[in-house]
Amino acid sequence: MTALAFQRSEKKILKPIEKLVYERPHSLDENHTHYCPGCTHGIAHRLIAEVLDELGLQEKAILVAPVGCAVLAYNYFDVDGAEAAHGRAPAMATGLKRVNPDSVVFTYQGDGDLASIGIAEVIHTAVRGENITVIFINNAIYGMTGGQMAPTTIPGQVTTSSPNGRDTAQTGYPMQIAELLSGLPGTAYSVRRSLHDTRHIIQAKKAIRTAFEAQLQELGFSIVELLSSCPTNWGMTPIKALDWARDNMIPQYPLGDYKVVDELKKKRRNR
Amino acid sequence: MTALAFQRSEKKILKPIEKLVYERPHSLDENHTHYCPGCTHGIAHRLIAEVLDELGLQEKAILVAPVGCAVLAYNYFDVDGAEAAHGRAPAMATGLKRVNPDSVVFTYQGDGDLASIGIAEVIHTAVRGENITVIFINNAIYGMTGGQMAPTTIPGQVTTSSPNGRDTAQTGYPMQIAELLSGLPGTAYSVRRSLHDTRHIIQAKKAIRTAFEAQLQELGFSIVELLSSCPTNWGMTPIKALDWARDNMIPQYPLGDYKVVDELKKKRRNR
Amino acid sequence: MAKGRIVIDVERCKGCELCRDACPQDVLMLSDKFNNKGYRPVFLLEHDNECTGCALCAIACPDACITVYRQVPQRRLHPAQTAV
Amino acid sequence: MAKGRIVIDVERCKGCELCRDACPQDVLMLSDKFNNKGYRPVFLLEHDNECTGCALCAIACPDACITVYRQVPQRRLHPAQTAV
Amino acid sequence: METSIIIAGFGGQGVLFSGQLLAYAGMDNGMHVTWIPSYGPEMRGGTANCTVIIGDELIGAPTVAHPDVAVALNLPSFEKYAPLVKSGGLLIANSSLIPAKSNRTDIEIVTVPANAIAEKFGIVKMLNMAALGALLAKRPLFTLDALLQTLHEHLPARKHHLLEANKLVLQRGYAVGMETAVPA
Amino acid sequence: METSIIIAGFGGQGVLFSGQLLAYAGMDNGMHVTWIPSYGPEMRGGTANCTVIIGDELIGAPTVAHPDVAVALNLPSFEKYAPLVKSGGLLIANSSLIPAKSNRTDIEIVTVPANAIAEKFGIVKMLNMAALGALLAKRPLFTLDALLQTLHEHLPARKHHLLEANKLVLQRGYAVGMETAVPA
Amino acid sequence: MAKELLKGNVAIAEAAIRAGCEAYFGYPITPQTEILEHLAKRMPELGRVFLQAESEVAAVNMVYGAACAGARVMTSSSSPGISLMQEGISYIASSEVPAVFVDVMRGGPGLGNIQPTQSDYNQVTKTAGHGDFHPIVLAPATIQEAIDLMALSFDLAEKYRTLVFMALDGAIGQMMEPAELPPMQEVRRERPSWALTGKQGRDHKNIVTSLYLGAEPLTKFNAKLQAKLAEIEANEIRYDELLTDDAQLLITAYGTAARVAQTAVKRLRQENIPVGLFRPITLWPFPTERLGQLAGRVPAFLSVEMNAGQMIHDVREAVGRTVTVDFLGQPGGVIPLPEEIEDKVRQMWLKLEAVA
Amino acid sequence: MAKELLKGNVAIAEAAIRAGCEAYFGYPITPQTEILEHLAKRMPELGRVFLQAESEVAAVNMVYGAACAGARVMTSSSSPGISLMQEGISYIASSEVPAVFVDVMRGGPGLGNIQPTQSDYNQVTKTAGHGDFHPIVLAPATIQEAIDLMALSFDLAEKYRTLVFMALDGAIGQMMEPAELPPMQEVRRERPSWALTGKQGRDHKNIVTSLYLGAEPLTKFNAKLQAKLAEIEANEIRYDELLTDDAQLLITAYGTAARVAQTAVKRLRQENIPVGLFRPITLWPFPTERLGQLAGRVPAFLSVEMNAGQMIHDVREAVGRTVTVDFLGQPGGVIPLPEEIEDKVRQMWLKLEAVA
Ligand SMILES: Cc1ncc(C[n+]2csc(CCOP(=O)(O)OP(=O)(O)O)c2C)c(N)n1
Ligand SMILES: Cc1ncc(C[n+]2csc(CCOP(=O)(O)OP(=O)(O)O)c2C)c(N)n1
Ligand code: SF4
Ligand code: SF4
Ligand code: SF4
Ligand code: SF4
């Protein structure tokens, strides 16, 4: 009040003043993360927290953390949080949401967690049109256990369990999760974004926002797949890893909107 | 030889002789099935056995039976057979096929088995392009356990676990398995047929044949979804049940070819 | 029209009537008697002699109870088809 | 061009250089010294004074270490934006 | 005092329900009861049976090796349970479907043409009532009226129009039971 | 006779490999050995340590509360293990990264500027070799040459050009070790 | 309320409702499907949560989720389904959220059959998953007791923030018996302080996890968990004794086996054989101490189980090697008959008398 | 062959290969992932089957499938993964197909941590799934023994058509020690007569199932299964004794705990404390009888375990209530130290002497 008054009175001086244009979102906790330097898990966390701040959801949100590098995610968000069994976050989220229908429940899952061991749970959660949001980190590898092949590993990619490069004849082809889940009627929103540069990060954030809005409007299941990096297990510097993601992941995993129900389209036009 | 010679010698008499136009296929065992009267499980069994006969696969085939009404299917086929845990037939088939690459491995699964508890295994088996064949019996209900809701239950359909009719807001929408699996690169063949009348039965058999041919040609994963009836748990006579399948299931589950890789298309044209 | 004949494995039959429903000649009927499983099996109305051997009944039968024969003029027969 | 300023939480920084890569003004550099976690944190080359406050560094930073301020002419300011 | 009763027959013969009816009636008449089905494989068809125990003390074992009473509604059940009935016990056999005879002389055997009675006085589905009637004639656990009262209470309302027919069938079965003399 | 050695430091300091090298050398020289890492959470970063036991009999416990020797390559390791070394034991401290001192007088403490030595005679990654050199000077489990021979055998071929530098670093560490007098 | 003739499965389901159960997640499996079916009808009617999960794996994790929210939640299954729940059960134990499980045991191993057994005694009492823990395991022998223990199970689960198993052999699930249901308890509206509800103005976030990184935190947690289990052992042991005072021969049995044994005991007493029945109601914590006391003066025990002999090891551990412990029972789905027990006891008694 | 310095996980993986293992299906989980990684490299190289499954549930069922085909097949996992395999394990037991499981145990319950424990002793020895069965459970204490038992495990699995578990605490998986690998065994080409291969001219079809409909068939099957288990109990008990001859105090321990105890025993003997070590190698069948014999003259036992006390119940059952059985250990991932054991034994010894 007083500060405001003071500034107004000084208005004629026209001396530029300093505006805060970016600060650490409140929905993040103060704890330092254990993620490797340059790992995009941190970016995804930040974006989610920014969206929670902007939509005023910090007091309503419940996070379900996966088993994977993000296993400790509940330490990094300042919201209520649970740690699920490997792959089962969507089932746990279902239990939470059904008895807490007014809360905003989201899972955060890696590609081993969601696409491999947890594919049944995420599919059925989408089938039910469960009103939750899934943030899906596709980094083409199992990070936490030291770099084994994931269902999302790129053909030919060397991992500790595909030492000669992923052989599609033996292990099949990468799973396109955003596309797969878009085919289910219960899905309200299914898109793929990338975190490999700032332009794409900004787009990713918009998608995360839309996903949470879908939940707030009770439109059903929403998922944002985020192409991410794992510098450590890819054996690259963080910057090289982002380049690799751009050059190798995007061709395999085209960015785009695979399903956006009409209610959300209207909303986006009006914004 | 002698019979033949005899007939030839009698040729001029031109008396019509009797030709065998249909007999019980050899790949069926002599055991009587425990299926309810008019249950189309039996038709599916017969068609598979006919195809095994025609393709000469009886000595190479290995059946993986599900948990569901067809749990005893290994008693009804005269081929090697295993009984899988509920939903895990595709994983078991994978193990069998990998160590027996020259055999012809097929699973036979209901909609509870495949679409509900076993969705992860069938999806990953398709993702790997595992060279096996799945015969998928969609009867919109859990038969064996007495008529609970399946993921394929039609909206509004009354079952013992959806006593007021399937409520899509709570339980989601029916799963379209043939469509879902057709989206995976490892899938060579994914189609839906119906067993509700003889014309469709004949078409279903052709599809089953093509699915096994896909396996013989090592083209990857093949699945035939068969719309089936469960007179007992639908509470109808067998004939009424087939009408119900036609009137209620086909609109929800359109018949058609959802994926046919080119190698198979050629083959079919040449036939 | 070609003449046909079917043989029904009555002990296997469950009396579901799917064959009867499928038969274009309407020459199938449920028996009054029960088989050992307690079902009334189907039988062919032989006296009508109108079965064409089209095999639609067999195609419809869930229990593979039906064997179908058809009379064909002998000259059209390929030798291989009669070899036993 | 608008002037900007960033504040880096050096103990949180892991020296991954994603901010440096993202900065259009190229005014970020890794320190020679290690922080308590054993990383060389990034710092703003203050003397150049070329930071525009565009916040791209903050958008790129996985560890949310960066706070960004930008100087704006006071008249353009809506009151609400300065209310604390 | 406990009376153990096994009722057995084909799936559609109302085996489980008639057992429950006895249990309900026992309970309604102040006795201790248990009812337990022998539930078969998870599949359709086949035979069904259940064991009912009615007594004046808390009931322990819900199953018995040798029942006091067996009600056999079809041939397989007759063949299975005739030899098992406790010496001095009672066997009710549905003579409409059971051509065979038992050569046991240490038990009382009542043959009831249950299908025939049911078809004559009601509908064939009521054959289990004919058998229950005979049972009550020989083992007056409670009165016919008490059983009818119980039936009234546990039959869904939409079936109440069948009560009268049920009563007739029950009474006829009872009469058959009363007519049958104790064997030598 | 058993000698227990704990080697500890940051993740990238070659802690696990230098432990393995000791174990290999022990084995190659006819001794019984065990090596066990203290493997941390399933995630990156943090400190690493391993325990090596070398003895002339089959080895039982693969871990120890109080090692005969501790090699601390960074400050946190120094702080953790300096108090734990067995009385009469040996502590090798990488003085390049460890400014602190221990006030224990019942153990022998050798400070080796391991980073400095490694940078001077080879590359900084070889700092673990400097520490091993000092260790062997004080605890001649086997000769320097024996260790070098083992290194030769277990270093991947593509790193063989580094052998000479490793040797220099090892020797320099050894010399530092030899120079350090036993404390009063 | 008056007594009704109730089927075990239905009684349990309705008792859960009366106990204020807020949410149920489960998957059909014989011989417990009637629990699911009853709740499918009743829960929505009462505005509570019923959801048929896609599998037992999903069901247990939905239960886990709802339990994290502090809701009264349960699931039910039978042997193979309980096997699939082991990981989730272990997570729930480690997270210390309350949840109730009903296991209506059937014949195993594998797909086995659907007949009544007690073949999963070890599975539910010894671990029910990986790691060092035990659920509380309650084994009713009558429908009335099943109803009463069902209510207790929620209370115990919440009191100790632990898992409670109702361990039924299939016979208890399938049989009917008169019993009285308690009055309806509404769903509790307030949630416990540790529950996940969204922060809703709380000054701290709540976290539920089973991850304790590093040896120290997990050791500390396990010490706490063991202390809790010790407390449960101290407070919650329940058992029933029939004619144990002067018994020279004791039958140990629970559930349906105990009912059968009860009949046998009554009949044997008429023959003046001094036999009694010891019936554990809590299978874990097991009444070790009391059995040990009894072993001080009872020279022979007979464990009657509907399995190949599982509880007998707990009995043996309790009574020591100086007394005889015999076994009667078999897996596969056969309810033992009183006559078999009587024969066995008579043999044992003859031997005992011969020695004396 | 000469000794090599081998890491436990790698040694086990390579030993399996040398034993002619034809197929491996598994899913990564610390602290056993090196087994999977080693086999990912080696198996394809040798033209054998390696497949990373989508989950442990899938892995166990792939193993089941390959086992039905009569192939030498194995999987490996760690505690939570083994929990997920329980249903499949029970099916395999009930189908009587041979399969080998490696469980490198970590801290639990729940997600716990990845430190070494022996917290799943109960899970693997008591049931490993629903129903009445036990896998054979082998617990090596050295890398060499791990290698030797790995080969044995396949042989036992095939001999008895059963499941064999290699139960390792994480420490055995992670440590390195010199050991010798056996020569390479090729993959066996012929398949057993019961195996599913397609009929291939056989005059009968082969069937593998775990379904035994009705009480009679399942009871019969279980009787057969129990007879087999009894045969295994009669033939396959393995254990190791250190200085038990004159011991007045016996430590019971297996795996890493036994190694530590061995060090303690050696040191305590120097203090003239008459302590010995009894080390079960087969955790199931458990050496109950031998322990019972020893209890005849040893008045005090100490069970040392890396858990909250699980094997101790088997020890108690074996030795009876007339001798003391103490416990040392904790769950959470701490390898006990020889000093702790020494302290505990000294205390126990003082008490014993005071009594004497
Ligand atoms: C049941 C079970 N299986 C396996 C594991 C081991 N595990 C932990 S994290 C992980 C994979 C993580 O990969 P991803 O989901 O891609 O996440 P990232 O670490 O790459 O972020 C695995 C297999 C486990 N903890 N539990
Ligand atoms: C793990 C497990 N869960 C549940 C069951 C019980 N169960 C047996 S069959 C079945 C469903 C069968 O339905 P479906 O697959 O549709 O086949 P249908 O009987 O209709 O042919 C279920 C749930 C089981 N045997 N195992
Ligand atoms: S291992 Fe990979 S995914 Fe995990 S924190 Fe490090 S960089 Fe990120
Ligand atoms: S219950 Fe349904 S699916 Fe099962 S056999 Fe009967 S009719 Fe067929
Ligand atoms: S063969 Fe054709 S005509 Fe003859 S009975 Fe069958 S369906 Fe009817
Ligand atoms: S279709 Fe088959 S089973 Fe059905 S009535 Fe006809 S012959 Fe009998």
Side-chain angles (χ1 to χ4, degrees), chain E residues 136-152:
Chain E
L136 285 190
K138 288 294 172 187
R139 293 287 183 278
L141 300 160
F142 28 76
T143 63
L144 263 195
D145 280 348
L147 189 74
L148 275 169
Q149 179 60 27
T150 300
L151 182 63
H152 182 81

Side-chain angles (χ1 to χ4, degrees), chain B residues 34-36 39 41 69 139 143-144 229-233, chain E residues 44:
Chain B
H34 66 281
Y35 300 118
C36 305
C39 172
H41 267 307
C69 280
N139 62 7
M144 190 195 215
S229 71
C230 176
T232 299
N233 286 303
Chain E
R44 325 280 122 232

